[in-house]
Structures are given as C-alpha cells and as structure tokens.
Amino acid sequence: MEYFQLKNIPNMKYMRKYSDNIQYGTAGFRTKANALEHVLYRMGLLAVLRSKVKNAAIGLMITASHNIESDNGVKLIDPAGEMLEAAWERIATNLVNVEDRNLVSTIKHIIEEENINMSVDAIVITGRDTRESSPTLLNAAVMGIKALYGIVQDFGIVTTPQLHYLVVCTNTKSNYGDPTLHGYYIKISEAFKYVRQKQINNGQYVAELLLDAANGVGAIAAKEFQKYLGTTLAINIYNDGYGKLNFMCGADFVKVEQVPPVNFHAKRNFRSVSIDGDADRIVYFYVDEYEKFHILDGDKIATLIAEYLKELLKESHLSFQLGLVQTAYANGSSTDYILNVLQIPAVCVPTGIKHLHNKALEFDIGIYFEANGHGTVLFKETVIKTIKEAVTNPERSTNEKEAASKLLNIINMINQTVGDALSDMLLVETILHAKGWDIMEWEKMYDDLPNKQIKMKVYDKSIITTTNVGTQCITPEGLQDAIDEIVSQYKRGRCFVRPSGTEDIVRIYAECENLCDLDKLIKDVASVVYDCAGGIGPKPQV
Ligand code: G16
C-alpha cells in the first residue's frame, strides 16, 4: 500500500469533540448537528474507501430526514442505490468512534482487511437537505473525501431519493436514466404523462391535490415537478420552506399524531399528501365533513399499488411472482388484505429500508412499504426485459401490448433506487386516475384496525433490546411478559416497543379491534415501559 496517500488525513479542524459513542443507526448516523463535524469528515474518508472497493461511485447524503431541524445525519449509498452494506456499518461505527490519534491506523487497518486497491479512482456523489447545518457538514465530508484523493461530484440541495437516483445512473452509465436532476424529473414526469393520456378517468378523481412539504427539500422538488407536469396535475404546496422543518408538519408528524399538519388549509374530503424533510416518505390523508381525520399510510399505498400491478399483469397476460414486504408497524388489516384478498405473499422484516429493500429483491416484482410511508417497487431485470418484448410482440393483442406498455411506463415512473415520496405520489395519482377514485373510495379497500404510536424518552434507550423483527423485548427482563399480559386482554391486540434507530426515544406501537380500547392498551404498556426502562418526564397516566 502507498502510505503517502494517508499523510493528509490528520486534520485539526475535524478532531473528535465528544466522548459519547455514536452508532450507525436505522438510516446512518443521526444526532445533534453540532456533534457531527468529525463524523462527516470520517464518512468522507470512508466513502472514498468504499468507492475504491466497489470500483464505483458512492453516494453521501447529508440529512436527518424526519428529525427535528437541530438534528442532522449522514447516509452512505452503495453503487446500486441500496443502503450501505451491513458489514460496513460496523466499520463505519468503529471509524467514527476511534480516538483521533488512532484515525490513520484505523484507515490503514480497513485498507488491509478489505484488501483495497488504493490506485483505483474514487468518486463520491454528495447531496444535502435544506438544514442550516448541512453546508458546514458537507464541507467536512468534502475535506475527508479530498484527504484521500477522492473525486467529489456535488449536487447541492437534493432529496434523498434524487441522490440515490444519481448514484445509480452514474454507475449504470446512464442506463437507468440521465445522471442529472433534469434527467430525474424528465424520466418520471414523461412516464406519468404517457400513462395519463392512455387512461380515461370515468369517476370521482380530480387532478388536483394539496401537498404538505414539511418545509423541506421536497417543496423545491415538488415545484420543479410541477413545471414538468404542466396541467396534468395541480399540486398546491403548503409548508413549502418558510416555516420550521418537520415542525408539526411532514409525513412523520401526520402519521404519528394522526392530525393534519399546521399551516395547511385542508379542504373537506379532499386528497391531501404529506411528505417528510428529505422527501423519501409519503402519506395521504383527508379531513371529512365532520372534521374527522383519516390517514392513508404506507400500507394503504402498498396495497393500492399491488392491486393495480396485479390488474395490469392480468391485462397484459404476463405472469410474475409478486411479493409485498412490510414491517411490524404494518396494520394487521393490511396484511390480511394482502394475503386473503390480493392473495400475494406478505413478508415481515425489521424496521429500516435496507431490510425491506433486500427482501423485495427476492421477488420478480417486490413491493415494499413501511407504514410510515417509506417504500417503492423493485422489478427484476428479466421482468423488465419480458415486458419490453411484450410491447412489440406482433403475436400479442392490442390490449395486451397497451397494458404492457403502461407497465413499462409505470416502471419508469417508479424510483426503484429507494422510496421516493414524489415518485410514489405520481404513481398513486396514476392509479386513482385509472380507477376514477377519490380518496374516500380508496380508503374503503379495507378498514384499518385502530392503531396508535407514541414516542417515549428514557434515560438510555439501549437497555431495550429486541428480537423477532423488533416485536419482542429481550431486555429489560420482565418487560415482554408484562406487555404480553396486557395485550392478551384485548381482541386482536398487538403491541410492541423498540428503541428508535434515528431518534433518542423508544417507539411504542399498539393496535386492537375496538377504538375505545386503544388508549387504555397503549397507556398500560407505556406505563410498564416507563417503569422498566427508566422513562423521563411525566409518567403516562393509566
Ligand atoms: C428512517 C428509515 C426508515 C425508518 C425510520 C424510522 O426513515 O429510513 O426505514 O422506518 O427511519 O426508524 P426508527 O424507528 O428506527 O427511528 P427517515 O425517513 O427518517 O430516513
């Protein structure tokens, strides 16, 4: 190895300032922005090594997505758009936590262990969300990349899914699309417009929606999309960047609190959409004439997509193995609907896009969605090839060819590289238009079991460890037995607690058959969690 390449690594500006260890969590490193400069510098170094190992471009996105404005974070994106490989998460955690004096030796160790050829060129594609702290953190990352002679391709302010798209386009030599933001907008919007002009809306669908953009980068992307979409869809944007990021708005707030966002003029029974701070999650909602709030979350989106794809496959006489991937947060009714009505296999994996994405790859067409609205659809290359052939096959009927061509455009409309709120939104709009449905008709697909999620602060969330896709507590001792005892008293009751991998809280989720039981169920469980795990603040009142 040519060690002269490591001489630039020590950098006084990016010394480790905090003694607390930080973990690569559900979606990368995430914490208070002011504790992250050295982390970003070191992730810049690591991104270069990863790029050399893979001999491909790597993505580095600076965002804390749905978290509060004062947090920030970083995710590394592997060459095919997927999240950083699990083995490298461990390497990353070790690298950001070593003492400054051990930084160079740790880098040397990684180079040797991973057998990295340091003469390979490294490209790191960077992007950031709209947080005030993001430019400073980007500088730190760029310094790290340059210290190891990596090439930086910076795209400035982008949504997380845009960065995933840019990485994949770069690594596929534009096969997936043009590696520019224009390429992103044009690919998705052209596919949307194509399908729209092939469909007739006979029903209640109106080509207009209200969008809560969480005061994040999604507002910029949605405005840009509007230019490309022209009059095919009117997007009325609220929380478009002038208010506080994710504060009482955005997909996470709307989903967890089950109320409309602030600064939002919800029209009665009108299709409304909420995305999160980096535009990788989406939920739909509406407020009815009795002021009741209704949410159509990731589960409702996934089932809508699955049903539509099934119909298109039937029309085109193509047969592929469809599968749907969820997490434990999926509403029990959605899983019943997938298995019994759609008759599609449903698989449950731990929280975190990396788990869902990897599982979905096992199906010909893998649909994955977390209930919080993070998801996409993956199509195997062989599937795409077969569909392409079907479009031009003279032996197929006009109807079959039209359905196949729609399918092909649906594939182009979907950002397969990761869950993408705006691409998902256009897909949902396409399906509702095809069915002629308003949001109430869509909601009727199945009835959600009443459900609730609460976030609880505890002294040390790491004392809660879990197994079985995050649904069973291993520690603290006795907690799971207490939860089981409570849940057993409720019809169709289900409840679990797990530490968040993105926020300094634990999440408690509950669902049961009767709405009137739900509050008691979740409060009873919250009370034992508070006692067993060291809750902070007022104890939940039972
Ligand atoms: C991230 C992950 C999601 C996960 C969410 C919450 O979303 O990408 O897969 O569901 O965090 O994770 P946790 O429950 O561990 O806090 P985002 O939108 O914040 O990047």
Side-chain angles (χ1 to χ4, degrees):
M1 194 214 327
E2 300 166 73
Y3 286 116
F4 77 88
Q5 292 188 44
L6 311 186
K7 71 177 186 319
N8 293 330
I9 289 179
N11 187 317
M12 291 301 286
K13 192 168 173 205
Y14 300 117
M15 304 285 264
R16 194 178 158 190
K17 293 189 191 85
Y18 298 87
S19 55
D20 285 357
N21 274 4
I22 170 167
Q23 298 292 320
Y24 200 99
T26 311
F29 294 108
R30 234 178 246 192
T31 187
K32 296 274 155 266
N34 57 14
L36 276 168
E37 261 191 286
H38 80 281
V39 173
L40 265 294
Y41 178 71
R42 294 177 184 198
M43 280 306 95
L45 297 170
L46 192 75
V48 171
L49 299 182
R50 186 70 184 154
S51 174
K52 287 178 188 287
V53 162
K54 291 291 192 182
N55 198 5
I58 292 293
L60 186 153
M61 180 71 193
I62 296 169
T63 180
S65 194
H66 76 274
N67 294 45
I68 54 174
E69 164 90 49
S70 54
D71 284 354
N72 213 328
V74 54
K75 322 184 189 188
L76 291 191
I77 301 162
D78 260 353
E82 71 278 44
M83 298 297 183
L84 182 67
E85 185 188 318
W88 275 64
E89 288 187 5
R90 285 190 291 280
I91 296 174
T93 298
N94 181 44
L95 183 66
V96 304
N97 291 315
V98 293
E99 297 296 330
D100 292 302
R101 63 173 186 280
N102 295 331
L103 184 56
V104 173
S105 61
T106 306
I107 293 282
K108 272 186 197 166
H109 183 72
I110 300 170
I111 293 170
E112 279 159 16
E113 281 286 294
E114 300 298 319
N115 204 8
I116 299 174
N117 178 354
M118 292 299 282
S119 62
V120 169
D121 282 341
I123 301 175
V124 183
I125 301 178
T126 57
R128 61 184 167 94
D129 69 13
T130 52
R131 283 178 164 79
E132 231 180 273
S133 55
S134 292
T136 308
L137 295 178
L138 177 67
N139 282 343
V142 167
M143 292 308 284
I145 298 165
K146 291 194 170 160
L148 272 180
Y149 304 95
I151 299 162
V152 180
Q153 284 178 7
D154 182 41
F155 281 87
I157 295 178
V158 287
T159 69
T160 295
Q162 284 175 337
L163 197 75
H164 283 252
Y165 166 90
L166 293 164
V167 169
V168 175
C169 293
T170 304
N171 286 324
T172 57
K173 311 251 174 303
S174 303
N175 197 20
Y176 188 68
D178 188 27
T180 60
L181 286 181
H182 171 68
Y184 166 87
Y185 290 116
I186 202 97
K187 179 179 178 186
I188 295 174
S189 59
E190 285 302 304
F192 176 78
K193 288 194 282 189
Y194 175 90
V195 181
R196 181 134 306 204
Q197 44 104 7
K198 292 277 171 196
Q199 291 179 161
I200 306 155
N201 165 29
N202 295 317
Q204 302 300 314
Y205 178 84
V206 286
E208 184 182 356
L209 58 81
L210 311 178
L211 171 71
D212 154 35
N215 291 313
V217 55
I220 300 170
K223 283 177 194 163
E224 211 47 41
F225 258 126
Q226 185 70 84
K227 292 184 202 156
Y228 285 83
L229 296 171
T231 53
T232 40
L233 178 67
I235 309 170
N236 302 301
I237 309 176
Y238 296 91
N239 293 318
D240 65 346
Y242 294 98
K244 224 170 159 185
L245 179 71
N246 294 327
F247 180 69
M248 295 180 77
C249 60
D252 193 64
F253 172 81
V254 168
K255 166 73 178 146
V256 174
E257 302 299 328
Q258 307 206 7
V259 292
V262 290
N263 304 323
F264 190 87
H265 304 293
K267 290 194 220 162
R268 299 297 160 255
N269 299 329
F270 204 82
R271 227 165 50 254
S272 306
V273 174
S274 203
I275 62 177
D276 73 339
D278 65 342
D280 60 0
R281 292 202 215 165
I282 177 168
V283 293
Y284 274 73
F285 65 91
Y286 72 96
V287 177
D288 69 19
E289 60 272 39
Y290 307 106
E291 300 287 320
K292 186 170 176 254
F293 176 81
H294 300 248
I295 188 146
L296 289 84
D297 61 8
D299 303 335
K300 274 265 155 71
I301 296 173
T303 44
L304 181 76
I305 296 173
E307 186 170 285
Y308 180 69
L309 289 179
K310 240 187 117 171
E311 285 163 9
L312 272 187
L313 288 174
K314 196 168 162 205
E315 273 176 52
S316 52
H317 280 103
L318 290 167
S319 154
F320 300 114
Q321 178 206 23
L322 272 171
L324 217 150
V325 187
Q326 304 184 299
T327 70
Y329 292 104
N331 195 279
S333 293
S334 74
T335 314
D336 289 349
Y337 186 83
I338 295 159
L339 294 172
N340 304 327
V341 180
L342 296 179
Q343 304 202 324
I344 293 174
V347 192
C348 185
V349 298
T351 293
I353 279 314
K354 53 195 170 197
H355 302 294
L356 290 106
H357 194 96
N358 288 343
K359 194 71 197 171
L361 284 169
E362 292 176 14
F363 297 98
D364 288 343
I365 301 176
I367 303 161
Y368 71 82
F369 262 90
E370 292 184 297
N372 63 23
H374 200 154
T376 189
V377 189
L378 306 180
F379 298 83
K380 281 209 167 115
E381 274 307 320
T382 48
V383 170
I384 299 176
K385 191 165 167 260
T386 309
I387 297 172
K388 276 186 184 157
E389 281 163 8
V391 174
T392 50
N393 185 343
E395 281 162 29
R396 287 188 172 267
S397 71
T398 312
N399 271 354
E400 284 172 0
K401 282 194 281 195
E402 284 232 333
S405 146
K406 243 191 230 174
L407 211 47
L408 208 52
N409 279 278
I410 293 292
I411 295 171
N412 281 337
M413 198 186 301
I414 293 170
N415 185 348
Q416 289 192 64
T417 67
V418 79
D420 181 332
L422 294 172
S423 139
D424 289 340
M425 180 183 87
L426 293 179
L427 178 59
V428 169
E429 292 302 309
T430 299
I431 302 172
L432 296 181
H433 176 260
K435 291 180 175 289
W437 280 359
D438 59 20
I439 194 159
M440 281 90 73
E441 280 167 283
W442 172 20
E443 189 184 25
K444 283 185 212 141
M445 277 179 83
Y446 62 86
D447 291 328
D448 273 326
L449 284 174
N451 64 91
K452 195 167 188 149
Q453 195 200 124
I454 54 177
K455 302 181 183 189
M456 183 187 285
K457 275 222 168 262
V458 295
Y459 280 105
D460 175 9
K461 66 177 178 175
S462 70
I463 74 161
I464 298 185
T465 55
T466 63
T467 180
N468 196 10
V469 296
T471 58
Q472 298 274 311
C473 292
I474 306 171
T475 60
E477 209 181 316
L479 176 57
Q480 190 57 50
D481 289 342
I483 294 174
D484 290 344
E485 165 64 30
I486 295 166
V487 173
S488 67
Q489 297 161 29
Y490 295 88
K491 215 166 165 196
R492 296 186 78 188
R494 200 163 66 85
C495 188
F496 61 89
V497 50
R498 56 173 280 280
S500 161
T502 57
E503 296 178 66
D504 191 15
I505 48 135
V506 295
R507 297 190 194 283
I508 305 170
Y509 174 84
E511 64 181 40
C512 62
E513 189 166 278
N514 298 315
L515 180 61
C516 53
D517 291 336
L518 186 63
D519 265 355
K520 177 146 173 49
L521 165 60
I522 201 158
K523 277 188 186 154
D524 281 349
V525 172
S527 169
V528 296
V529 174
Y530 188 94
D531 289 341
C532 293
I536 296 177
K539 187 172 172 180
Q541 292 310 305
V542 191

